[in-house]
Amino acid sequence: MAESFFLLAATFIPLLLAPVAYFVGKKSGAGTVTWFSFGVLAVSTGLLALPALALQGGMSAYVESYQWSQFGNFGLRLDGLSLPFAMIIYILCTVLAIYSKPYMIHKIMEDMPGASRHENPGHGGQVTLTADQQSYVNHHMGLYFALYLAFSMGMFGTVLATNVIEFYVFFELMLVPSFFLVAFYGYGARRRIALMFFFWTHVGAVVLLLSLLTMGFFAGGFDFDTIRANAHLIPQEWLALIIFGLVAGLGVKLAAFLLHIWLPYAHAEAPTPVSALLSPAMIGIGAYGLLRLWLELLTGSYEQYSLYINMWGLATIIYGGAMALMQDDIKKVLAYSSISQMGYILFGLGSESVLGITGATMLYVTHGLGKAVLFMMAGSIILQTGTRSMSKLGGLAGKMPYTAVIAMIGALTIMGVPPTSGFMAEWTMFNGVLQTAANDGDWFRSAMFGFGIMGTILTSAYILWMIKRIFFGKIPEEMAHVKEASPYVTATMAAFAALSLIIGVYPDLFLAPVSDYVQGMFADYPGVLPIPEGSGLIEPAEGSSVGLEEGLSVGAEAGGNH
Amino acid sequence: MVDPIFVGLAVLTVGSAIVALDTKELIYGAIGLAISMLGIAGFFLLLDAPFVAMFQIAVYVGAVAVLIIFAVMLVRTQALFTVREDKGRKAAGIILMLFIMGGLGATLLISGLNTPGSFTAPPVDIMAIGQEMLTYYSPTLIVMGLVLAGAVIAALALARREDVEQKDERAS
Amino acid sequence: MVTEFFDAINVWLIWILPFAGAAIIPAIAKGSKSARNYIAVGFALASAASAATLIPTALAGHEVHSQVSWISALDLKAGVLADPLAIIMTNLVAWISFLIMVYSLGYMHGDRDLTRYWFFMLFFIGSMQLIVISDNLLMVFFGWEGVGLASYALIGFWYHDRKKDYVGVEGHRAGGIAMWTAPTHAGMKAFLMTKAGDVMMLAGMFLIFAYAGTFGFKELLADQGWAQAMAAENLLVPAAVLLFGGAVGKSAQFPLNEWLLEAMTGPTSVSALIHAATMVKAGVFLVARIGPLFFALSALNTGQFFEVVAWTGAITAFLLATQALVSPEIKKVLAYSTGSQIGYMMMALGIAGISLNYVDGYTAGFFHLMSHAMFKASLFMGAGAVLHTVHSRFMTDMGGLKKYMPKTYMFMLLAALSLAGAPLFTSGFWSKDAIFAAVLESGYSQAMPLFIMAVVVAVMTAFYTFRMIGMTFFGGKSKHVEKIEHEGHHVHEVGAVMWVPFGILAVATIIVGVSGFLFEEQLHHLFEEYLGESFGIHEAAPATERVFLNLNPVAAAASFGAFGVGAALGYVFYIARKADPAAIGRNIVTRGIWTFLYNRWYLNTALYWGGVIGPMAIYRFIWRYFESTIIDGINPAFQGAMTYMSRWVKGSQTGITQTYLFVFGAGILIVVMLLLL
Amino acid sequence: MWSKKMNELVDFLIVSVVLVAVGIYGLVVKRNAIRMLISIEIIANAANLNLVAFSRYTGNIQGQVFALFSIAIAAAEVAIGLGLIIVAYRLYKEIDVAEFRSMKG
Amino acid sequence: MVDLTSTPILVTVILGVVGLAIPAIDAGRRERGIDRNKLYSAIAFGALAVAMGIVIFKVFTGEVLPAVAFSEGVLVDDLFGSFFAIALLLVSLMMTASSWNYWKGRSNPAAYYSLILLSSIGMVLIAYSTDLVMLLVAWELMSLPTYALAGFAKRDPVSNEAAIKYFMFGALSSALIVFAIGLVYGMTGTTNIGDSVRAMTNLDASMMPVGLLAVALFIAGFGFKMGLVPFHMWLPDAYEGSPATIGGLLAAGTKKAGFAAALRVIVLGMFALNADWTLTLAILAVFTMTIGNIGAIMQRSVPRILAYSSIAQAGYIMIGIALAPYSDQALSGSLFHIINHAVMKSAGFIAVAAVAVGLSAYSLEKYRGLAKRMPITAIVLSISLLSLAGVPPLNGFWSKLVLFGAAINAGPLVEWGPWLAIAGVLNSALSLGYYAWIMRKMYMEEGPDMSKVKEPRAIVAVLVFALVFMVGFGIWHAPLLEFASQAVPDLSFMSGAAPGPLGR
């Protein structure tokens, strides 16, 4: 038993209050339930922040463990690896709750029986409603937030799990509410797409489950600690199968190349706040799974397969980027962009160096913030203009300046341009890859590094082209009266953008615990390159003079060379 | 060398079973079944189980066959004298029958049960039947009672005319 | 000497102030528009003043190095390093930027997006200062991307893509590729092309970091174990060349030169900033920054790196100079010229590394950077003034403006003379001459071809400069000018807020020119000391005798000659208008050459076919025949398969009891068979 | 009593198997519900024969007891089966089981 | 000889007396004005509750034996039996309670409840039997009433059709079981399971074919109840056509009793024969789950989907039985899944009953918009479907987890073990397709009539109970799994597997 219950509370408060949220929404209306959900999530985030601070203070891991069942203990563990994931998930959820209000009111009214489309472009909630309509909206807002809270909790629990079965339970738990969210509030053929999303990710999950079970049975226990300690008991031929299952199962969640069938649809057709959660927060958990379940628990097998992960990541980067270029629908661009970004993460995970793996983790953080901003931008565009086809848009920068500016920061985050967090993540990740390539003198890895880093140009291309088509150029006639989005939208977007900038300038918030932890994970594995160590800062008095001496002699030799 | 009585009984039993199934008139089929069961009772006698044989005659010939004959009587004649069967299915049925016969028979023939002088054990005492039933099988006997009671309740419930019950049961 | 943050606050403020200004500009704009304008300029001035406080340090040959902790996880520190190189550069950047900011007050007057303009201008300046003043590559890269971003935003400043903001001749296509560009497109192109360079720079940085574990210039110099390790694996030169790749992108060197020409879609003040003080100079500065480091390592055969730099510079200089000969747009002529001049600088910095006297080439390159910054800023601002008046970017729409805009004419002429390298009294002459001399004296085996290229480029430079001046200010009024006069526009001189800044710079370039040899001497001395102290690079004895004013005779002769030939030709064709340039259209050979140059050597065409249209076609193919058919087909195919199988199962479930029983009976047999197996 | 020792166990078993097969044939082929019932009775009898034969073979009484139970059960089954058939007849005026196929697929 | 205070006897007596008393009371009372259905429902419910209480009480006071495979008597009072008794009585309780509403106004309630009670006795006794004769008689006691119950809606041709199909198969298979028992008896000379096992351990090799034949016939006989492919053909028709509560009783109750019987008898096979026959069971398991799931995809009637789904679930349970010799988790997984499936499937059929009461409809099309019309029914049906699909953290997930885990755990011993897990896992993913389809109809589509329908109270109560069970044991599955693993007859000495992490 743990002495404190911060994480337990942070995990289950949203779930337990989800039904309450429904009734609050039904009785008191959209505004109340929005702030209620926001409050719930904010409190949970606060509860998470307390142990997180302890972690910043130098503690290596904060664990709560409870007696559970034959499958081991039910534990919640915050350490360098889960901290960024958990933090980003709850921050995203908390802020997006507010964003949801105008968006979902608009969406629900659009779907309301008898409502004509775009009756009220842009300003959902400001027209007078009949009592029936009001109760319809309230009912749905309540339902939306109930599902939303459950979804948040599912994602959160996954990254804190300390037991493979627990991991799987949460992994699936986040799937069910998201299925309903897409199915109830999505666009287009939302039901079919929700089913498809549910089905394929579930297939991935069960494949994962097989691997988890195999690991557990061979290691004689399902707790992470047990498995890590007994990983050597797993026979070699089974290990390959386990890893295949892990990678394939989590690859579906990550929507890696060839396993991405579900993603473009699910992300494009989900309601925007949900897209903004699905895309960055949820699919990235696949990466967390790989880190935790494979790299940490089965460390010994990592080096053997890292190259393939690397290659797969590269394929995903390029493929996702290329496909994003082909889209006209904003959300589809972003969906393919997510695929591509997951490719970066995979690329980093396959880097076989601490720096690369740290970078991959940071990429989750940065992708979470950046892609959320971009999806929110798409939502804002949908709200204000009623279309998301870029060929119908253009020149909106003047009409929606705040949205444009914040979206640009989001775009920079995704492109990996300083001073956004994107750069911090990308450079560490790529540096790790190159470090391995250089260290091994492996031309193949070097080539992959080259292609990978050139992939960032592709990323920039589709993002900039998207921005150009939305915000720049001539304004179409029918967009002449478009107005700026409501503060609910812009303020929440700005929050993420600001966070991205803060992390970009001061990355220690996440980088320090992650890199320490990853370093520790591979402490016994010399094949995984540690972070390069500098010679330390030269103390000017001695250091520079030494440098000078050497420089002198070298300079002299250089002179003689010609 | 096989006992002629055995052969006779076998022919009678199997033959009347086939007759029971394949005659045009259902009433003859019921009678055929009764004869077949008598044949089985004969086998029981051959096997030194007169009590079972008597029970067989009482229950099967006395009750079951008669029950079936009553049922046949209840059903209108037009349903009784038209034998409708599908050629293909009949052929398939015969093939299946032969396969089962061959398969099961062969299995038994190659097994250890196919040994000469199998009935060397002394015939059992009829009295032991009662004893066994009332001691070892006493719970079974109770349950058997329940089975019969249940069958009666079920049969009564099914056979009751619906005239007294008005409500629609299921609209499908 | 590593100093505390607050002890070196003036250094930090150089880049912090512009950023801070950028951050508060939007807030101030809510209040007062004019306050916003002046505060923006004020921040630029403050930054410049802060830079100026460092001048004594530089003159004394000292340096200020201050660090604060930054990324503790990787043991990285943020820091500023104000050594003489950085101090000179930062002052140059700060003051020229300040003048351009002042100029903007007039030039951009009345634009409705001024807030954005000021924001990005300050951001631009701040980023550039960050590049200059940072003590490590990572922070340099922050600034590096910052200038990229700002240039993207400013090139596409007029994002509504109105026709008048385009560059290029509308309707002209080369090899199927449109040669005219909208502002937003140009911004994107600039960003992506420089990104290609950035990527290389990153790769270089990463390589160094992988071995050294640090990005700091001082640290890299202090412990050179990393260099030996890299050299052992033949990675040192590649790393350096990759770093140089970043400079190639930013400084628009061949083969990443194409973006610079389209960058003219931005406001002219922005062009001035890009070309004079920020952005393109960043590349040169980077080479100046890392050059000594690699030269100090030349025991490890870093000479190849410098060869690459020199040749890239030479090729670019030649390439862009030829293109400048035929461009009809005034800003584009200046843009070509920038690229070409940057080529000179690169050539100088490169040749320095393969010569005996590193300091000579180094000084020459940096001197040229300085003089170019001054005259090019002046020229651009002047061109802006002309554009402002004439409302056309084409020189054919100008002509005879001399009498309408005398001040503009005068100052532009001075700056143009400097660009053309008019002997003895222009800074351009001295710096160019120093480059010639450095090339000649380098002792590099291929020095002669380089020298010849440099001279040819000088000839062309003089020619196109005179062509520009002539077409703009001489001759009769063009139809366009007549038309706008007819429409009621008065063609007039621009206001003082505009002409004063470029006047100052034009005069400055002449002042430097007049005292050129002293100035050069001083600079040479400063760098000699700096390189000696920091890098241990010392001057060897000069290889050749110097004569009058310490000039290399051959180089000086070449300078004189080149200016003479180029200027004379330009004068004949465009000022005196003795010969009609249209004659070239009548000869098939000259016309062919003209077309080739006019179409920019078809580089743009190749770039678009190879970099945009080709890949897009491939992507479209994949999209259509893989993503949309195979990947999207998985789900329906699976569904179809399941439906088919389900139908089969349903079909077997006939509803007929006999069938069921048959299956049951067969099932027994099957089970028996399975068991017997 | 008058049983002949030359009969072997396997003979009875074969008869039993033949009866089972015949019963299955009847079930599979015949569409008349009552005939199907008859088939089932034939199979049940075959099984009983088996039991008694084994009882004789092993000299153990349990087989016979079991046979008695089995016979009783078969009778109960017949009662219910006939009940169902009567109900079906009332509903359809028909006892052709192959016609009872409103549910399928 | 017979311990009158042992659990099976007490249950038999209580339920038997009440079961026989109900028709007797009914015959005696002729007056109108009292709702006979409610009265008998209450009585039957009370009796079942008391029986259930006794079973649970006996388990908790520890008066039952640990799981016993072999006993001298025909019945044994052990945990294995009690486990099944609890599961099966639970099903009967749920069905009886929901019949309070469902059977309202229908014919002959006295016989209806009486037969349910009698059938329940049969089911419970199967689990307690240690003698093949007892097993057969209990089997018949379970089966005979359900033949009648399936056809109890006498005005309804579909019900009758279902009953006739069910009956034909039932009668045939019980005859085959008799035949099989006869063979075992012939080989060993006894009908007691323990004795026959002992006799079989030193059996002549020449008897092997007979043994195999017996096993085959047992598989066919019990497999019919369990819904094993290829003995499953009757099942969708019978479940669909029967009154919904009876469909539930068949799917959740008698089917599980089939497994109880198979588990009791399977011990025979284990000792008598070398373990080759497990592969046969494994193949059947894979076919069963696959065909069940595939069959369900295109169905348009909810009870029929549930019927196919129960075929598939039988396949999962079979994994445990097939792997019984190799992994000691396998059987506990099977048992765990049996009790879970009993509740899940009951909840499903009761929800169908609720819709039948409220809307008189079974077709999936009529379920459109059910979430608005009957919210509680819809939510419980959804939860039970998700649980059937094995979505965590519902109880169905945990039992599947144990089953698949056991299959993987057996990997080092039998190479086809993990394939079972793979097949099971893929199948359960596939099954989500049609479960989610039902949910889609209920939650995301709107029918022509969207008026609110009153949900029958008793059914709602039962549904809520099921919901609590599914979610509760989903969150904290440990006690149930613990119980299940203790109820497994001690087979581990046969399995060469090292005890897995689940322990026992």
Side-chain angles (χ1 to χ4, degrees), chain E residues 78-337:
Chain E
D78 69 350
L79 269 177
F80 178 84
S82 299
F83 182 86
F84 275 94
I86 289 172
L88 300 170
L89 288 176
L90 201 58
V91 174
S92 296
L93 270 172
M94 289 167 76
M95 293 308 155
T96 317
S98 50
S99 296
W100 172 281
N101 291 123
Y102 184 73
W103 208 254
K104 188 177 168 196
R106 298 199 186 205
S107 65
N108 211 346
Y112 176 80
Y113 291 108
S114 160
L115 289 175
I116 288 184
L117 289 181
L118 290 175
S119 179
S120 306
I121 302 173
M123 293 192 265
V124 170
L125 287 184
I126 287 174
Y128 283 113
S129 312
T130 50
D131 186 284
L132 292 170
V133 176
M134 183 69 220
L135 189 78
L136 179 84
V137 175
W139 180 268
E140 290 299 331
L141 180 56
M142 168 186 79
S143 302
L144 286 180
T146 53
Y147 299 145
L149 285 170
F152 222 70
K154 280 180 286 177
R155 295 270 178 89
D156 182 359
V158 178
S159 173
N160 182 255
E161 179 185 335
I164 286 185
K165 284 176 177 171
Y166 178 33
F167 171 77
M168 292 299 174
F169 272 81
L172 171 60
S173 64
S174 63
L176 290 178
I177 293 171
V178 174
F179 202 100
I181 294 174
L183 289 177
V184 170
Y185 168 68
M187 284 189 290
T188 63
T190 175
T191 58
N192 184 289
I193 295 175
D195 291 345
S196 19
V197 167
R198 255 166 252 129
M200 276 197 188
T201 40
N202 41 21
L203 201 64
D204 192 61
S206 64
M207 288 296 187
M208 186 63 85
V210 186
L212 285 176
L213 193 58
V215 168
L217 291 176
F218 273 131
I219 290 175
F222 296 138
F224 130 83
K225 254 315 187 259
M226 299 190 282
L228 284 191
V229 171
F231 312 115
H232 69 291
M233 303 286 278
W234 62 279
L235 191 147
D237 293 358
Y239 288 10
E240 184 193 358
S242 311
T245 47
I246 301 306
L249 191 70
L250 291 178
T254 61
K255 185 181 196 107
K256 303 300 166 301
F259 279 104
L263 282 168
R264 281 286 186 198
V265 174
I266 218 81
V267 192
L268 279 176
M270 293 209 45
F271 288 90
L273 314 159
N274 61 17
D276 291 348
W277 53 276
T278 52
L279 180 60
T280 307
L281 289 184
I283 292 170
L284 290 185
V286 171
F287 272 99
T288 304
M289 58 181 107
T290 311
I291 287 188
N293 280 324
I294 290 178
I297 290 174
M298 299 272 287
Q299 300 303 332
R300 290 294 169 266
S301 154
V302 180
R304 203 169 175 84
I305 295 179
L306 291 177
Y308 272 106
S309 138
S310 74
I311 296 178
Q313 301 290 330
Y316 302 139
I317 299 173
M318 278 307 288
I319 291 178
I321 298 177
L323 288 169
Y326 307 108
S327 166
D328 48 1
Q329 272 98 48
L331 277 180
S332 53
S334 279
L335 256 58
F336 191 17
H337 198 58

Side-chain angles (χ1 to χ4, degrees), chain A residues 88-107:
Chain A
I88 286 301
I89 287 169
Y90 260 7
I91 288 175
L92 283 177
C93 291
T94 310
V95 178
L96 278 166
I98 303 177
Y99 176 87
S100 298
K101 186 196 164 194
Y103 192 87
M104 292 316 296
I105 290 179
H106 172 80
K107 181 75 186 82

Side-chain angles (χ1 to χ4, degrees), chain A residues 192 196 199-200 257-258 260-261 264-265 319 322-323 325-327 336 355 395 397-399 402 408 412 415-419 423-424 426-428 430-431 434-435 438-439 441 449 453-454 456-458 460-461 464-465 467-468 471-475 504-508 511-512 515 531-538 540 543 546-548 550-552 554-559 561-562, chain C residues 1-2 30 65 67 69-77 112 123 138 141-143 145-146 149 152 156 159-163 166 182 184-185 188 191-192 195-196 199 202-207 209-215 218-219 221-224 233 235 295-299 301 353-356 532-538 616 619-620 622-623 626-627 631-632 634-635 638-639:
Chain A
R192 192 177 65 75
M196 181 172 150
F199 181 75
W200 287 109
F257 178 50
L258 294 181
H260 66 277
I261 11 179
Y265 294 96
Y319 188 80
M323 291 306 107
L325 271 174
M326 292 295 113
Q327 309 301 322
Y336 278 106
L355 203 55
K399 302 286 178 192
Y402 293 112
M408 196 63 214
L412 295 176
M415 285 167 4
V417 173
F423 175 68
M424 273 302 154
E426 267 179 33
W427 88 256
T428 40
F430 278 117
N431 207 342
L434 187 61
Q435 194 189 349
N439 190 65
F449 164 80
I453 201 161
M454 285 197 308
T456 59
I457 302 176
L458 190 60
S460 308
L464 286 180
W465 197 31
I467 294 279
K468 170 169 145 59
F471 289 115
F472 303 146
K474 292 182 184 57
I475 299 190
V505 175
Y506 187 64
D508 262 0
L511 202 55
S515 63
I531 292 174
E533 281 199 31
S535 54
L537 177 63
I538 23 119
V546 169
L548 206 74
E550 281 181 8
L552 275 170
V554 170
E557 282 170 35
N561 259 355
H562 291 276
Chain C
M1 192 69 64
V2 179
K30 291 273 181 205
H65 186 198
Q67 285 186 323
S69 99
W70 183 26
I71 309 178
S72 67
L74 307 177
D75 201 15
L76 295 179
K77 294 195 164 69
R112 56 190 187 97
F123 189 84
L138 193 63
F141 195 80
F142 266 62
E145 289 287 322
L149 178 62
Y152 163 75
Y159 61 84
H160 284 300
D161 287 352
R162 286 166 304 188
K163 285 270 187 290
Y166 282 34
T184 54
H185 185 102
M188 231 172 96
F191 193 94
L192 291 177
K195 182 93 186 168
V199 157
L202 274 179
M205 279 166 60
F206 292 167
L207 265 178
F209 184 74
Y211 282 88
T214 177
F215 288 118
K218 291 299 239 185
E219 286 90 336
L221 190 63
D223 175 8
Q224 293 169 347
E233 304 202 25
L235 284 173
F295 187 74
L297 297 171
S298 55
N301 277 328
I354 24 183
S355 72
L356 299 168
E533 289 215 350
S534 300
F535 300 90
I537 300 169
H538 291 285
M616 287 289 270
Y619 298 160
R620 189 163 290 118
I622 297 174
W623 165 250
F626 185 73
E627 177 76 11
I631 296 286
D632 279 358
I634 290 176
N635 195 47
F638 181 79
Q639 271 182 356

Side-chain angles (χ1 to χ4, degrees), chain A residues 142-455:
Chain A
L143 187 58
Y144 169 80
F145 276 110
L147 290 169
Y148 184 91
L149 288 174
F151 181 36
S152 315
M153 168 270 180
M155 292 192 290
F156 186 72
T158 313
V159 297
L160 293 185
T162 61
N163 177 308
V164 287
I165 302 299
E166 185 193 351
F167 179 91
Y168 179 78
V169 168
F170 281 117
F171 196 71
E172 287 282 59
L173 206 59
M174 70 187 171
L175 190 55
V176 177
S178 59
F179 161 70
F180 280 109
L181 283 170
V182 176
F184 286 160
Y185 304 110
Y187 292 88
R190 60 186 179 209
R191 300 183 189 105
R192 192 177 65 75
I193 285 162
L195 271 178
M196 181 172 150
F197 160 56
F198 194 23
F199 181 75
W200 287 109
T201 44
H202 185 67
V203 169
V206 296
V207 172
L208 172 69
L209 178 61
L210 282 176
S211 282
L212 296 181
L213 281 171
T214 317
M215 277 160 73
F217 274 107
F218 278 109
F222 294 89
D223 286 336
F224 285 166
D225 295 339
T226 320
I227 295 179
R228 186 163 158 79
N230 295 344
H232 59 275
L233 295 178
I234 303 175
Q236 205 57 39
E237 66 272 21
W238 285 83
L239 202 57
L241 289 174
I242 290 172
I243 289 162
F244 176 80
L246 281 178
V247 172
L250 292 165
V252 173
K253 187 64 99 183
L254 270 170
F257 178 50
L258 294 181
L259 299 179
H260 66 277
I261 11 179
W262 61 275
L263 186 138
Y265 294 96
H267 285 198
E269 305 304 342
T272 307
V274 178
S275 303
L277 279 184
L278 278 183
S279 172
M282 193 191 82
I283 63 175
I285 288 174
Y288 173 79
L290 281 178
L291 267 168
R292 183 67 94 186
L293 301 175
W294 179 25
L295 300 199
E296 185 175 8
L297 300 187
L298 309 174
T299 323
S301 62
Y302 167 54
E303 287 166 53
Q304 207 173 339
Y305 302 99
S306 65
L307 186 64
Y308 303 106
I309 297 297
N310 217 329
M311 284 157 63
W312 200 18
L314 180 63
T316 311
I317 294 175
I318 293 173
Y319 188 80
M323 291 306 107
L325 271 174
M326 292 295 113
Q327 309 301 322
D328 182 52
D329 178 344
I330 304 174
K331 290 183 78 176
K332 276 236 159 135
V333 174
L334 297 178
Y336 278 106
S337 154
S338 295
I339 296 178
S340 175
Q341 292 291 312
M342 290 304 120
Y344 283 109
I345 296 185
L346 273 179
F347 196 58
L349 288 184
S351 71
E352 229 180 89
S353 72
V354 171
L355 203 55
I357 294 166
T358 309
T361 314
M362 284 297 286
L363 263 168
Y364 175 84
V365 172
T366 181
H367 178 237
L369 297 171
K371 195 50 69 62
V373 168
L374 287 183
F375 265 115
M376 288 157 95
M377 175 273 286
S380 169
I381 299 288
I382 293 170
L383 271 186
Q384 303 309 116
T385 67
T387 180
R388 49 193 234 199
S389 157
M390 286 190 285
S391 51
K392 293 187 191 133
L393 294 166
L396 289 176
K399 302 286 178 192
M400 306 171 70
Y402 293 112
T403 308
V405 167
I406 300 165
M408 196 63 214
I409 297 176
L412 295 176
T413 310
I414 294 300
M415 285 167 4
V417 173
T420 61
S421 60
F423 175 68
M424 273 302 154
E426 267 179 33
W427 88 256
T428 40
M429 188 276 279
F430 278 117
N431 207 342
V433 176
L434 187 61
Q435 194 189 349
T436 308
N439 190 65
D440 299 358
D442 184 347
W443 65 267
F444 186 68
R445 269 191 193 268
S446 313
M448 285 209 304
F449 164 80
F451 282 115
I453 201 161
M454 285 197 308

